[in-house]
Amino acid sequence: MSETFNAIVAAEVEGKVKGQLQHLTLNDLPKEEVLVDVSYSSLNFKDGLAVSGKRNICKRLPMVCGIDLAGTVIESASDKYKAGDLVLANGYGLGENYWGGYSQKARINPDFLVKVPETFTLQETMAIGTAGYTAMLSVLMFERQGVKPSDGPVLVTGAAGGVGSVAITLLSNLGYEVVASTGRPETHAYLTDLGASSFIDREELSAKGEPLAAEKWVGVVDTVGSQTLANVIAQTRRGGCVAACGLASGFDLPTSVFPFILRGVILAGIDSVMATMDLRIQAWSRLATDLAKEKINNISRVEPMSDVPALAEQIVAGKIRGRVVIDVNA
Ligand code: NDP
């Protein structure tokens, strides 16, 4: 009998889809070209939705959950990778369409893999993970739209979460004045340490507002969506850029055209899942230069894969601070 390994597999149990720890063999894995000995994955909001079954994330079942992973190539039928290479993957439908990272072994399409930048350990790449890489995509979007630190303050919503924590760290390191919106005052010291200079209670942004409000932000990284996104668009300065990357409070957007046609506000969507390989490589190499190692450690903690079902409930409830690395071998 072939050796078994552990994975968190989403399957239908009594009419509900939930992710649970299961034992798989190599024969269970899909027929992809690169076999990876996975060391770490991470906990992202989407993982929380998938494992808890709160939303229909998995496009087919059974599905190994986990939208990202980092590990070592064991064998490869592709000339892009060889045994011993350190690789990471995120997005491209991992954990949704393709078996993902909550697994001690994974077979992956080589086109989904990125070589781990030399500055990072496997654990550090997953401390950043999909959330941190999405934060970097948002920063790159600011730069493409010409939003400069000298232009004025930027706002990060959902500040104490994964995307928010990394966004604050990156923006502050690049010299931006960063205002953080959080619903958890107990995280103020943590967020100050990451680089936030002042705070807005998230309640202030979630109440229904005017279509146009006083101009405050030259850039916004919004992870919350819904009324909060509408309000921050209304508060964005002429020509400023709102990077819309999340839906922690909802996927609707009750806004008007006024901020766009009267102030030229740019609403820029951030899609980490299908970002081009060029953009991924650019994002990971900028993370390697722009994110201090000690900050990565401050933001993250490591938890065993067996705890993923409980952690999934916590992240969906907005109770996780920063980033959680998942040790798939613990
Ligand atoms: P986290 O759960 O770590 O962070 C989300 C934060 O949002 C929470 O910590 C909390 O921050 C705030 N929040 C939670 N619930 C609410 C609510 N009901 N109303 C207002 N604020 C709330 O998740 P991630 O950082 O991993 O992801 C953030 C969002 O970005 C998610 O919606 C996720 O799906 C999305 N995302 C999108 C990607 C893309 O490709 N576009 C890639 C990665 C993530 P606080 O306690 O500080 O208020």
Side-chain angles (χ1 to χ4, degrees), residues 43-46 49 67 130-131 134 137 157-164 181-184 187 191 202 206 222-224 228 244-250 270-273 314-323:
L43 180 73
N44 296 280
F45 195 80
K46 197 185 268 178
L49 295 173
I67 64 171
T130 302
T134 301
L137 293 180
T157 64
V163 176
S181 170
T182 180
R184 290 182 278 178
T187 63
L191 295 170
R202 83 179 186 204
S206 60
D222 179 62
T223 69
V224 170
T228 299
C245 55
L247 44 56
S249 96
I270 304 297
D271 169 22
S272 72
V273 175
Q314 288 177 34
I315 195 165
V316 171
K319 291 192 173 143
I320 296 285
R321 192 188 86 172
R323 297 277 305 138

Side-chain angles (χ1 to χ4, degrees), residues 10 17-18 45-59 246-252 316:
V17 174
K18 288 223 167 201
F45 195 80
K46 197 185 268 178
D47 298 314
L49 295 173
V51 174
S52 67
K54 296 265 182 329
R55 285 241 185 98
N56 216 1
I57 299 295
C58 304
K59 306 291 186 288
L247 44 56
S249 96
F251 58 76
D252 59 326
V316 171

Side-chain angles (χ1 to χ4, degrees), residues 40-42 68-71 87-90 115-117 119-130 132-133 284 287 296 323 325:
Y40 300 100
S41 180
S42 79
D68 49 27
L69 62 84
V87 290
L88 65 89
N90 60 269
K115 282 200 172 143
V116 169
T119 26
F120 292 133
T121 62
L122 293 172
Q123 185 181 319
E124 285 163 349
T125 63
M126 286 300 106
I128 297 166
T130 302
Y133 145 87
W284 281 104
L287 283 159
I296 301 176
R323 297 277 305 138
V325 177

Side-chain angles (χ1 to χ4, degrees), residues 185-206:
E186 66 275 19
T187 63
H188 284 188
Y190 160 80
L191 295 170
T192 301
D193 186 52
L194 298 185
S197 60
S198 58
F199 299 95
I200 295 183
D201 192 301
R202 83 179 186 204
E203 298 282 317
E204 273 185 48
L205 294 174
S206 60

